[in-house]
Amino acid sequence: MTSTTATRPAAAAPVPADLRRSALPLRRRLTDGFSKSLMGLALLIALIPLGLVIYHVTSRGMAVLDWDFLIEDIPNSARRAGGGMGPAIAGTLLITGAAAAMAIPLGVLGSIYLNEYGKQNALARLIRTMSDVMTGVPSVVMGLFIYVSYVLVVKEQSGFAAALALGCLMLPVIIRSSEEMLKLVPDELRQASAALGARRWKTTVSVVLPAAISGIVSGVMLAIARAAGETAPVVLVAGTTFVANWTLAGDNTTLAAQIFKNAGEPFPAAQDRAWGAALTLMVIVLVFTVAARLISSRFAIKER
Amino acid sequence: MTVVDKSAQLTRKDRGRHADRLFWALCVSAGFAVLVILALILITMVKQAYPAFSAEFFTSSTWIPNDPDGDGPGKPVYGTLAFLYGTLVVSTIAVVVAVPVSIGIALFLTELAPRRIRSAIVTLIDLLAAVPSVVFGLWGILVVAPAVVPVYQWLHDVLGGVPVLGSLFGEPRSSGRTFMTAGLILAIMIVPIITSIAREVFATVPDSDKQAAWALGATRWEMIKGAVLPHSFGGVVGAVILGLGRAMGETIAVALVIGSSVQITANLFESGYALPAIIVDQWGESTGEFTAALIGMGVVLFVITVLVNLVARFVVRRAEIRMRGASA
């Protein structure tokens, strides 16, 4: 052992390859450095707009945001200063909440079908592909769909119609993210439960779901965050209101819809309200996004 | 013998059996909901939009939904070509800008960044995805659009005389609400999507390939060029198509910054319109056949995005299968 290590340097001695970086031809070194700096530049190009958006929304939004802004009614003339976004905040919470209440049970049950029953059979594969496709359906199309199939039937624009549209947008997202989480639950847990004599539904409800619940919750919260910022369906089917409507029936409005409406106005008062609404919406979205991250990192199933 | 008896007892139909069937049925119907909703979207919308579909709908670029002053043609004209054109132009700009940036970020994250800062960057990119599109629209119309006009003017002055580029970079619209502005805002919005898929694809490159490149004395870029990129080409193409699909359907940000004028022009610094944008813009004032025409455009948009998404999934899946074959 010692003798071989001792003799090796002697054998390799004649041509000591120069492996230092400076020994590379200049052209290769330059290409390497150039490509690396391009990658860094790409990151900068993406982060600068993010920083600017956050900066502008915060600085312009803070100028108008106060307690009154959060609770007061929306002025019914866009050029009038003052007023607030109270009705839009009420609408955002109500409509997003109702959408979540519809989409979460359906989505989680659907993902249970995909992962616990269907697995790789033809129907499950079809549903999987179709929910991927449904994720890509533009939100404006979902709004038109609810208009045609619900608003035209009951002949009334309402917060409920908007909730239906947002629910349809959330459903495929929840199905796919929950399925990923169910996939991470080790099979041993299911087998142990089955060995104790539990029925399949009992196993799923009392063993598999609790094991995956943190991941499912975090996926759901991301879906809620995205739905809260959706604008087009609300503009198409919810109508609009200037006073808070805490019911799902009748015209309603959301922060996103109000930003859209006020952003296009030439009046500074309207634009100020749009910035204030944007800051409020960003805070709501951020709270859900950060909570989702915390939950998923704190209680994650260890990936195998 | 007693053992057999007991197992017989255990497997006998009991209270749980019906619950089992019921739960299964619940889950299956929840899964079916996806298929039902997609089918309903197509059926109900086509039914509603049917009166609007005509040859003119797809071939004309004249859009006169109502004729207030009475000096136009006798009946309304619903030609959607200008909107289709706008959608294509805007999403092409978005993809052309977003793809190199996204691939750069994905390579930076998978091949270059130290592990410590990697998760911080991923969080930032996720944050970019979390910003609602209407907020980008607000920022675009009130901050970006006024700010970019001098840049457009400069580009026009410099490149205006060059044959092909000159017609692309024409006289800029003074509001700054143009195809180019909309495309750039869209690019920011699709970067996170393309980046996250490209990152997954790059992560599947087998370590042995990379180590082989290192062992041959490759620099980092040569390793990326020789081992990472060829291996992940298919997946990256899928990611790009997915980004394209997202860009085509994006509504609110585009509606705010594209400038709302119905025209087909090669000048990227002119105002235009896009399919989803006109739907939300003119929805409030539409009735009857006008509404049917807007819904008809929704159908067109639905069909396009579904096709684009199916193609993208197909490409990604094929690339995945190939990669698994290569790494096994």
Side-chain angles (χ1 to χ4, degrees), chain B residues 8 49 64 96 145 169 175 223 235 281 303:
Chain B
I64 307 174
V96 167
F169 300 124
S175 68
M223 183 277 286
D281 259 7
V303 171

Side-chain angles (χ1 to χ4, degrees), chain B residues 86 90 177-179 182 253-261 270-274 277:
Chain B
V90 168
R177 298 176 197 169
T178 63
F179 286 121
V254 175
L256 282 171
V257 297
I258 199 170
S260 307
S261 59
E270 254 301 341
S271 296
Y273 236 137

Side-chain angles (χ1 to χ4, degrees), chain B residues 214-231:
Chain B
W214 290 129
L216 289 172
T219 61
R220 196 172 288 266
W221 167 244
E222 286 162 348
M223 183 277 286
I224 290 172
K225 200 175 71 169
V228 176
L229 291 184
H231 191 90

